[in-house]
Amino acid sequence: MALYQDQQIKLYNSLSGEKEIFKPIHEGKVGMYVCGPTVYNFVHLGNCRTFISFDLIYRYLKHLGFQVRYVRNITDVGHIVDDADEGEDKIAKKARIEQIEPMEVVQKYTINFHNILKQFNNIPPSIEPTATGHIIEQIEIIQEIIRNGYGYEVNGSVYFDVEKYNQSHDYGILSGRKIEDMISNTRDLDGQSDKRNPLDFALWKNAEPQHIMRWPSPWGEGFPGWHLECTAMSTKYLGNHFDIHGGGMDLKFPHHECEIAQNEACTGNSPVNYWMHANMLTLNGKKMAKSTGNNILPEELFTGENDILSKAFSPSVARFFILQAHYRSILDFSDDAILASEKGFHRLMEAFDGIQTIETTPTSTVDIATWKQSCYNAMNDDFNSPILIAHLFEGVRIINLLKDGKEFITTQDLSILENTMKAFIFDVLGLENANLEKANNGKLENVVQMLIDMRNEARANKDFALSDQIRDRLAVLDIQLKDGKEGTTFSL
């Protein structure tokens, strides 16, 4: 029997503004789409918080035994500067500044994105589609929207008719905005005269002669609107109606609002049952911004090469810090805060390592079953990781009492304690044991040193074939040997 049959998840649905019991469309299966990055720059820590939050959700659903199809896109075209319909595509602008091809920009920053999330121990999504790989699907959706009367073409661009849509639907259903208020707060901007209404948004943009990224379409050469790509990719891989759509709080309007409108205008269906949004990460009480210098990149956090923190912090400590706050709350990042998290992280890992030293007795004086369910209750309550962590530290307290002989436990209960701690620390929270990693690295270093000694002996015996073979085989494993006056050294 799968664990999800014994656990009931309640999650906060941005669409209703309430916690709701999670009921997947298909029993035992979950379709989840999360808006990925626009790959025109290095991924920043605030972005990482969103992806770590949904990695936690993905991990817990999998832990409960759900079969999860997790789709997270790469935006590699169509995201205009300032999230508007006019101006330069962010990737094309970066390509012009760096004087390289747009796809070189995409490749560079996609690799950075993957490397950073790997260091944070995020599980890759099931599918990671790109906007440029789904131009045909986007054109087909635009054609259907036009056929249904909600889109119109002007001078090679196609716009979504928000007022027409709102006559029979609710534009603003997700963000809680009223169209009358939005209209009164908008004004006609230069270059937007093609629109019937300032609220209308681009489905397809006509490419100016200087625009690098462009594709043929029924309306001329151009490129898709930013909002359209997620509608195309989410429905292609999850169907017109799926379980969960997630992203950062800043995407609720206009991006996610437009997604709902596009899907309903195309298919007549509301696309998603549960909309979920992760909140922002601030730095020293202020919004992170490169323009003000109040910003830190993950790599700067890991290396300590920054003017904000007193030392370097491991990716796992940073992940633990992020998960100590609920995904829907604003989290402020500071040196003092992450130093405190680091101490807690090491306490947790040391306690887990100490379980092996506990001696068992015929009877237990601790209620492990109730403690175990409290861990599940925390995650069942809208994936409340800070409450889960509090219960794990209750587990730390129990472990310390058992080690000191102040409480007693049976072999069976000790196994439940260890397996529960292991499941939630490593499988659900996705933390990595620095002590175990250090021990493994120590073993690896001893093995490499043994091979270096064997290579030195081979060289002394003039067996250069064996010497070269050892060096080359280690190089394949990314272990580089360097021969110097002081002997042979290596780097992992």
Side-chain angles (χ1 to χ4, degrees):
M1 181 185 293
L3 282 172
Y4 67 78
Q5 294 175 302
D6 291 328
Q7 308 294 331
Q8 186 179 79
I9 297 174
K10 292 186 75 175
L11 57 81
Y12 183 85
N13 190 350
S14 297
L15 196 61
S16 66
E18 297 177 351
K19 289 182 185 178
E20 300 177 6
I21 295 172
F22 177 61
K23 293 181 180 178
I25 296 168
H26 304 289
E27 185 179 349
K29 298 182 179 181
V30 178
M32 181 170 76
Y33 184 90
V34 174
C35 291
T38 301
V39 282
Y40 72 101
N41 213 330
F42 295 113
V43 63
H44 62 71
L45 207 55
N47 296 140
C48 292
R49 185 197 180 186
T50 296
F51 301 125
I52 289 170
S53 296
F54 284 100
D55 184 64
L56 170 78
I57 292 166
Y58 182 35
R59 284 172 173 274
Y60 187 60
L61 292 172
K62 285 167 64 72
H63 171 74
L64 291 183
F66 284 108
Q67 182 182 336
V68 186
R69 176 176 287 178
Y70 175 20
V71 183
R72 187 186 66 214
N73 72 299
I74 293 288
T75 295
D76 56 354
V77 67
H79 193 164
I80 303 299
V81 175
D82 297 327
D83 301 342
D85 282 337
E86 305 299 326
E88 286 189 272
D89 182 293
K90 290 185 176 183
I91 291 162
K93 181 179 179 180
K94 190 75 170 183
R96 180 174 54 77
I97 291 170
E98 296 191 6
Q99 296 186 320
I100 58 177
E101 285 288 330
M103 284 300 114
E104 287 184 78
V105 173
V106 168
Q107 182 75 355
K108 175 181 178 179
Y109 295 114
T110 299
I111 289 172
N112 167 255
F113 173 67
H114 288 154
N115 286 342
I116 293 298
L117 289 197
K118 184 177 181 180
Q119 289 182 79
F120 275 122
N121 200 30
N122 275 28
I123 301 173
S126 315
I127 304 172
E128 191 174 53
T130 64
T132 56
H134 296 77
I135 299 295
I136 292 172
E137 289 85 350
Q138 293 177 76
I139 289 172
E140 288 173 347
I141 289 173
I142 295 170
Q143 290 175 317
E144 187 64 23
I145 289 173
I146 292 173
R147 278 194 290 269
N148 292 340
Y150 297 111
Y152 59 93
E153 184 266 335
V154 182
N155 297 327
S157 294
V158 182
Y159 296 97
F160 189 92
D161 193 333
V162 171
E163 281 200 287
K164 174 74 179 296
Y165 171 81
N166 201 57
Q167 291 172 8
S168 53
H169 301 81
D170 184 3
Y171 184 77
I173 189 172
L174 180 65
S175 60
R177 303 185 185 207
K178 298 296 180 186
I179 193 167
E180 298 81 8
D181 297 333
M182 287 188 272
I183 290 172
S184 66
N185 289 329
T186 58
R187 58 188 176 86
D188 289 325
L189 302 175
D190 291 339
Q192 291 187 334
S193 57
D194 285 349
K195 296 182 182 182
R196 293 176 183 171
N197 186 298
L199 284 182
D200 295 350
F201 56 89
L203 298 171
W204 186 266
K205 287 292 294 178
N206 177 51
E208 299 294 333
Q210 71 274 14
H211 201 93
I212 309 171
M213 304 179 81
R214 54 204 299 142
W215 289 265
S217 80
W219 316 284
E221 287 202 344
F223 55 95
W226 172 39
H227 312 305
L228 188 67
E229 59 171 286
C230 287
T231 296
M233 290 183 280
S234 62
T235 56
K236 173 165 181 145
Y237 298 108
L238 298 174
N240 290 335
H241 188 206
F242 56 95
D243 298 300
I244 297 172
H245 193 313
M249 195 75 76
D250 57 320
L251 297 180
K252 187 184 289 188
F253 186 89
H255 187 52
H256 291 162
E257 197 76 72
C258 293
E259 279 193 63
I260 292 174
Q262 288 166 163
N263 202 290
E264 292 196 348
C266 181
T267 68
N269 296 322
S270 180
V272 181
N273 283 351
Y274 306 93
W275 286 88
M276 301 182 70
H277 294 92
N279 217 322
M280 66 189 296
L281 184 70
T282 58
L283 178 59
N284 293 323
K286 298 178 182 177
K287 184 178 179 180
M288 283 194 183
K290 290 175 186 168
S291 57
T292 63
N294 193 54
N295 183 64
I296 185 169
L297 296 175
E299 204 62 50
E300 296 170 335
L301 170 67
F302 304 154
T303 62
E305 295 175 2
N306 61 80
D307 300 324
I308 296 169
L309 303 175
S310 59
K311 61 188 286 290
F313 294 92
S314 73
S316 214
V317 166
R319 183 183 176 100
F320 182 65
F321 166 78
I322 287 170
L323 295 177
Q324 280 185 292
H326 190 266
Y327 77 90
R328 285 194 292 115
S329 65
I330 293 175
L331 173 60
D332 187 53
F333 183 88
S334 68
D335 190 52
D336 288 343
I338 195 167
L339 279 168
S341 282
E342 185 176 51
K343 291 178 182 177
F345 174 82
H346 289 309
R347 269 186 61 213
L348 187 62
M349 293 303 174
E350 286 165 9
F352 179 78
D353 291 340
I355 293 176
Q356 300 294 331
T357 65
I358 295 172
E359 295 184 4
T360 58
T361 58
T363 58
S364 292
T365 58
V366 287
D367 186 353
I368 294 300
T370 299
W371 167 80
K372 175 183 176 180
Q373 186 56 46
S374 71
C375 294
Y376 281 99
N377 291 345
M379 287 301 290
N380 291 341
D381 183 16
D382 195 28
F383 310 99
N384 201 321
S385 57
I387 299 300
L388 168 63
I389 290 170
H391 289 308
L392 292 177
F393 276 109
E394 173 60 18
V396 170
R397 189 187 71 83
I398 292 170
I399 290 167
N400 290 334
L401 289 172
L402 291 167
K403 286 168 66 178
D404 293 340
K406 295 177 181 178
E407 296 283 1
F408 305 96
I409 194 167
T410 63
T411 301
Q412 183 179 2
D413 280 351
L414 182 62
S415 177
I416 294 171
L417 172 63
E418 181 177 13
N419 289 335
T420 303
M421 291 285 284
K422 182 179 180 181
F424 282 102
I425 293 172
F426 305 114
D427 297 343
V428 176
L429 292 178
L431 303 177
E432 294 181 290
N433 192 335
N435 297 333
L436 184 61
E437 186 178 335
K438 187 176 180 181
N440 287 338
N441 281 344
K443 291 177 183 177
L444 178 60
E445 287 173 4
N446 289 337
V447 170
V448 174
Q449 189 58 56
M450 180 182 70
L451 290 169
I452 289 173
D453 293 342
M454 290 174 61
R455 179 170 176 263
N456 288 339
E457 185 177 344
R459 293 170 77 184
N461 294 331
K462 299 189 184 304
D463 188 351
F464 298 113
L466 177 58
S467 169
D468 291 345
Q469 185 181 18
I470 292 172
R471 180 199 61 207
D472 295 342
R473 294 290 291 273
L474 287 172
V476 170
L477 299 172
D478 288 330
I479 299 171
Q480 306 297 325
L481 299 186
K482 185 175 181 181
D483 295 319
K485 294 180 180 179
E486 305 298 323
T488 302
T489 58
F490 66 93
S491 59
L492 299 175

